[in-house]
Amino acid sequence: MIEVKNLKKDYVDEGETTSALRGVSFGINKGDFVSIMGPSGSGKSTLVQILSFLDRSTGGSYTFNGKKIDDMSDVELAHIRNKSIGFVFQSFNLLTRLSVYENVEIPLIYSTVAPAARKKMIEDAVKSVGLEEKLYVETAKLSGGQKQRIAIARALVNDPDIIFADEPTGNLDSVSGAQVMSILDGLNRAGRTIILVTHETNTAEFADRIIRLRDGSIESDEKVKNPRHSKEQFFK
């Protein structure tokens, strides 16, 4: 699904160049669950922005679903992002004065989906995170854990190829965090590709593989030895 080769990203400010990524190479297959870890300034945020078409590299190549994206226009990238990518953020990024239904509907606003089909897509997405009874509740009235579950529903509504979860448990208590990770785990077991950005080792070990970055380079890329054990420990 994803293949990057010698990926680089340089920022130039007043003639001074800073390298955020220094030749990163790896592949991710459909159905993988991959965690990306690294200290502040390691390049993980830059990498995820490029992988999710929010930014462009300055060197190397990126192939997504068999298509090279390096020479695509911004319009083409926006179309792929809208159809193929779902986002879950640490801060939820929900519009609190809108209802759950209206928040989950946002990715569909510019789609050509018929109203009846759109309504079912929204209802199914909210049901998949176990909050169908909150469908018409104002989002401001939800708990933090419920907001993140609705953020996952919004990410799912377009049936994306891949979900990027950026510190999805960072603002949650342990119980709510466990609920969110259980949902992501279930989505992966159902065949969804998940890329998780986190600084928490126990959360990262939900994945089957962890890519660790440092100073813009891959420090390690290893399979999790016993993800089932890690999940059991997380839920205790």
Side-chain angles (χ1 to χ4, degrees), residues 5 12 24 38 78 121 128 131 137 140 144 153 163 179 184 191 199 205 210 220 225:
K5 293 183 178 179
V12 179
V24 171
M121 290 168 70
S128 74
L131 288 173
V137 172
I163 291 176
Q179 290 174 335
L184 292 176
H199 67 278
E205 289 178 348
I210 299 176
S220 64
K225 292 181 180 179

Side-chain angles (χ1 to χ4, degrees), residues 37-45 167 198-199 213-216:
M37 300 188 73
S40 178
S42 63
K44 64 182 185 296
S45 295
E167 300 282 4
T198 181
H199 67 278
L213 297 179
R214 184 173 293 276
D215 298 329

Side-chain angles (χ1 to χ4, degrees), residues 18-91:
T18 302
S19 296
L21 294 176
R22 304 170 183 267
V24 171
S25 301
F26 61 86
I28 295 176
N29 296 319
K30 181 176 175 59
D32 282 356
F33 193 156
V34 178
S35 289
I36 298 177
M37 300 188 73
S40 178
S42 63
K44 64 182 185 296
S45 295
T46 299
L47 175 60
V48 169
Q49 287 174 348
I50 293 171
L51 294 181
S52 58
F53 313 117
L54 294 172
D55 199 359
R56 292 179 180 269
S57 65
T58 53
S61 65
Y62 176 16
T63 303
F64 181 80
N65 278 340
K67 298 179 180 179
K68 283 201 168 187
I69 65 96
D70 307 289
D71 298 323
M72 288 186 180
S73 69
D74 290 344
V75 172
E76 289 173 312
L77 291 183
H79 178 74
I80 295 174
R81 185 169 61 245
N82 188 54
K83 295 292 292 182
S84 300
I85 305 294
F87 295 96
V88 181
F89 301 97
Q90 178 178 351
S91 56

Side-chain angles (χ1 to χ4, degrees), residues 17-231:
T17 301
T18 302
S19 296
L21 294 176
R22 304 170 183 267
V24 171
S25 301
F26 61 86
I28 295 176
N29 296 319
K30 181 176 175 59
D32 282 356
F33 193 156
V34 178
S35 289
I36 298 177
M37 300 188 73
S40 178
S42 63
K44 64 182 185 296
S45 295
T46 299
L47 175 60
V48 169
Q49 287 174 348
I50 293 171
L51 294 181
S52 58
F53 313 117
L54 294 172
D55 199 359
R56 292 179 180 269
S57 65
T58 53
S61 65
Y62 176 16
T63 303
F64 181 80
N65 278 340
K67 298 179 180 179
K68 283 201 168 187
I69 65 96
D70 307 289
D71 298 323
M72 288 186 180
S73 69
D74 290 344
V75 172
E76 289 173 312
L77 291 183
H79 178 74
I80 295 174
R81 185 169 61 245
N82 188 54
K83 295 292 292 182
S84 300
I85 305 294
F87 295 96
V88 181
F89 301 97
Q90 178 178 351
S91 56
F92 319 134
N93 285 16
L94 299 174
L95 299 177
T96 55
R97 293 188 178 183
L98 298 184
S99 69
V100 165
Y101 184 100
E102 292 168 319
N103 269 283
V104 176
E105 185 182 25
I106 288 172
L108 300 173
I109 287 176
Y110 297 108
S111 74
T112 57
V113 178
R118 178 184 298 193
K119 184 173 185 292
K120 187 175 188 309
M121 290 168 70
I122 295 166
E123 290 173 345
D124 288 348
V126 175
K127 186 177 181 179
S128 74
V129 298
L131 288 173
E132 57 267 35
E133 76 280 2
K134 302 290 187 181
L135 192 62
Y136 297 105
V137 172
E138 189 177 287
T139 308
K141 297 178 180 178
L142 301 180
S143 68
Q146 289 172 332
K147 288 177 181 177
Q148 194 60 293
R149 287 155 67 186
I150 294 305
I152 293 173
R154 182 186 56 191
L156 288 172
V157 74
N158 262 342
D159 191 27
D161 294 319
I162 186 166
I163 291 176
F164 287 88
D166 188 359
E167 300 282 4
T169 63
N171 284 337
L172 305 179
D173 59 45
S174 59
V175 173
S176 298
Q179 290 174 335
V180 166
M181 291 310 301
S182 178
I183 291 170
L184 292 176
D185 181 52
L187 291 171
N188 178 247
R189 288 173 183 267
R192 194 83 57 173
T193 307
I194 309 285
I195 296 181
L196 171 70
V197 180
T198 181
H199 67 278
E200 301 169 340
T201 300
N202 61 340
T203 303
E205 289 178 348
F206 251 79
D208 302 308
R209 173 181 165 204
I210 299 176
I211 298 173
R212 287 184 169 86
L213 297 179
R214 184 173 293 276
D215 298 329
S217 300
I218 293 179
E219 183 178 52
S220 64
D221 183 350
E222 299 175 335
K223 290 186 176 180
V224 176
K225 292 181 180 179
N226 193 349
R228 181 180 296 275
H229 174 73
S230 299
K231 292 168 188 177

